[in-house]
Amino acid sequence: MKDIQRILEEKKSSIKELEKFLYDNPEIEMDEYKAKAKFTELLKMENFFIEEDIPNLPTAFVAHKSSGNGPAIGIMAEYDALPGIGHACGHNLIGAIGYGTAVVLGEMLSEFEGSIYLLGSPAEETGRGKTGLIGAGYFKNIDIAMMVHPMKFTCLKTNMTNLEGYDVTFIGKASHAGEAPENGINALDAAVQFYSGIGLLRQQLKDDARVHAIITKGGSAPNIIPEIATVRLEMRHEEITYFRSMVQRILNIAKAAATATGCSVNIEMFEPQICCMKNNNVMADLFKSHLVESGVDKKEIIDSYKIGGCSDMGNVSQIVPSIHPWIQMVRSSSEAHTIEFLEDAHSPFAIREMFRAIRCLAGVGLDILKDPSILSEIKKDFVDGNKQ
Ligand SMILES: [Zn+2]
């Protein structure tokens, strides 16, 4: 019977090659052309069938390999870097982990029935990759989805937030500020009232709610009453019901500011809506058993952890059972999106832990390929999660 460790040993050099290539060639969101070319070159050599024309996502791809009618396992690959700072979120590691896991599980298809999908999802930092793949229907035939993110500690269930971002544009009437101010309707006044209203509401928001706003347009010259003013804001909270009510309250402040100043207001989302992470407990338990089997001390594994950040993996987790665990791959002082994290993201320690991540994800996949009845437990947990 085929063994994960043995296959990993055979594929080690191509996994390392991909990781180094991604690290050495950082590309920001929607510009990951070199990364896509490298992934597809390596995946073709592993006999994956590759779809490269993904609607509206030129740097995305979907690779798959199938045998018979077994479980369809989705593995996520991220590979976008951060502007100006390279792979300071470690997506070089995520990409190589996704590739390695898909290749190992692909080899298992000579013994078990099923399909392995590697979803090449660009632009995680702006949430456009996975939301685009979802919109284009690429998760319809997939039973589960999983990935591992590098982190400064190891944790099974990441509680990430819902997020929505809006451009709130107030439209008033321009007028000469010296000669005829009385003829003007000041859109900047509306923007300032809106901004201040958000600040006043803060005292009544839950501690872990986040609202961050900037004024992106506020007039063109001080001697013209501003006709247009725009506030760009993002809101976050992890509980969906509370989140919806908070968004409503804040957008009501915008409408009130428009009424108070005589402006009209136009409210538009400027980025994809990001959902909170719905962690699958059955998959997380399987992942934990493989972490322990690989030598991680149980005491080092945190069950769940709440952060203020979010990921488009949350959107995936709302439609198919998913996990997005963290494995410690950087120093415990390294914060994501910093130079320190960038330095750590290609260290010998990170590379060693990258192979552990592959081993554990492939372990979960193999459990499911061997015994597809686990899928019904996974799906039951997913449905139960909907009722909460
Ligand atoms: Zn990241």
Side-chain angles (χ1 to χ4, degrees):
M1 198 163 95
K2 285 192 168 168
D3 166 85
I4 291 176
Q5 282 297 89
R6 220 170 33 232
I7 304 173
L8 255 185
E9 212 43 58
E10 285 167 27
K11 309 291 180 188
K12 207 171 191 169
S13 62
S14 68
I15 299 168
K16 279 178 129 176
E17 178 188 330
L18 175 63
E19 184 282 323
K20 185 172 173 3
F21 182 87
L22 295 174
Y23 190 81
D24 289 344
N25 295 278
E27 297 166 299
I28 61 163
E29 60 107 23
M30 301 305 256
D31 198 32
E32 310 96 329
Y33 291 97
K34 287 184 203 159
K36 175 177 173 172
K38 190 71 185 173
F39 270 103
T40 49
E41 174 203 322
L42 292 172
L43 286 160
K44 277 177 191 160
M45 290 196 286
E46 294 291 344
N47 300 314
F48 273 78
F49 173 79
I50 300 165
E51 264 184 79
E52 296 189 50
D53 296 324
I54 312 289
N56 304 317
L57 288 175
T59 54
F61 65 88
V62 176
H64 87 271
K65 217 178 198 183
S66 296
S67 82
N69 288 320
I73 295 173
I75 316 290
M76 311 306 305
E78 293 173 2
Y79 37 89
D80 55 325
L82 294 159
I85 190 176
H87 276 295
C89 200
H91 294 188
N92 54 311
L93 294 162
I94 299 177
I97 291 166
Y99 166 79
T101 306
V103 167
V104 171
L105 289 174
E107 290 291 305
M108 295 295 179
L109 295 180
S110 59
E111 286 178 38
F112 303 100
E113 287 198 358
S115 301
I116 308 302
Y117 287 83
L118 181 66
L119 296 122
S121 35
E124 188 278 334
E125 294 294 344
T126 53
R128 294 202 275 167
K130 297 183 197 70
T131 51
L133 287 167
I134 292 170
Y138 284 97
F139 287 87
K140 284 203 176 108
N141 300 319
I142 290 175
D143 290 310
I144 61 151
M146 50 187 183
M147 61 175 283
V148 166
H149 200 296
M151 199 29 162
K152 58 181 182 170
F153 53 80
T154 298
C155 172
L156 298 171
K157 295 170 214 160
T158 51
N159 292 333
M160 296 183 288
T161 66
N162 295 284
L163 175 141
E164 282 177 11
Y166 291 88
D167 276 331
V168 174
T169 300
F170 297 97
I171 303 129
K173 188 170 162 248
S175 182
H176 194 296
E179 276 178 28
E182 67 279 10
N183 291 339
I185 298 174
N186 194 326
L188 179 61
D189 284 356
V192 170
Q193 286 202 27
F194 177 41
Y195 188 84
S196 308
I198 295 168
L200 292 172
L201 179 65
R202 260 182 235 283
Q203 188 187 356
Q204 285 72 242
L205 293 179
K206 287 192 175 184
D207 284 350
D208 46 3
R210 297 282 182 273
V211 186
H212 16 265
I214 55 171
I215 296 179
T216 52
K217 262 187 220 145
S220 50
N223 61 0
I224 305 168
I225 301 288
E227 185 173 22
I228 302 279
T230 302
V231 176
R232 172 167 278 198
L233 77 158
E234 286 183 328
M235 294 165 269
R236 305 170 190 246
H237 194 268
E238 65 160 333
E239 283 168 41
I240 188 69
T241 320
Y242 180 73
F243 177 70
R244 291 259 57 88
S245 72
M246 177 177 84
V247 170
Q248 213 39 61
R249 282 176 89 174
I250 286 170
L251 297 182
N252 282 344
I253 297 174
K255 290 172 199 160
T259 307
T261 51
C263 290
S264 58
V265 63
N266 186 20
I267 299 172
E268 258 175 32
M269 274 193 189
F270 73 88
E271 62 185 352
Q273 181 181 29
I274 301 300
C275 302
C276 61
M277 184 72 201
K278 181 176 167 185
N279 293 288
N280 190 273
N281 292 300
V282 177
M283 290 169 69
D285 287 347
L286 290 173
F287 188 80
K288 183 179 182 179
S289 68
H290 290 289
L291 273 178
V292 173
E293 193 184 85
S294 77
V296 177
D297 187 340
K298 269 188 190 157
K299 291 198 275 308
E300 302 285 304
I301 305 171
I302 298 169
D303 186 63
S304 68
Y305 191 86
K306 203 162 153 173
I307 54 163
C310 61
S311 166
D312 54 6
M313 189 59 185
N315 298 47
V316 173
S317 77
Q318 299 294 332
I319 55 165
V320 290
S322 302
I323 49 170
H324 178 285
W326 290 320
I327 289 186
Q328 182 178 7
M329 300 192 198
V330 295
R331 281 169 287 176
S332 52
S333 58
S334 282
E335 298 290 347
H337 298 203
T338 64
I339 291 287
E340 198 184 12
F341 199 102
L342 172 70
E343 287 165 4
D344 287 0
H346 183 57
S347 70
F349 173 65
I351 304 299
R352 196 185 77 200
E353 295 306 306
M354 168 182 87
F355 282 106
R356 185 195 305 283
I358 297 171
R359 177 178 165 178
C360 296
L361 281 182
V364 175
L366 185 58
D367 290 340
I368 297 166
L369 288 175
K370 274 184 181 166
D371 178 8
S373 72
I374 296 175
L375 260 190
S376 50
E377 281 174 57
I378 289 173
K379 287 181 178 170
K380 182 176 179 306
D381 183 82
F382 181 77
V383 173
D384 289 349
N386 283 344
K387 293 178 200 148
Q388 280 166 12

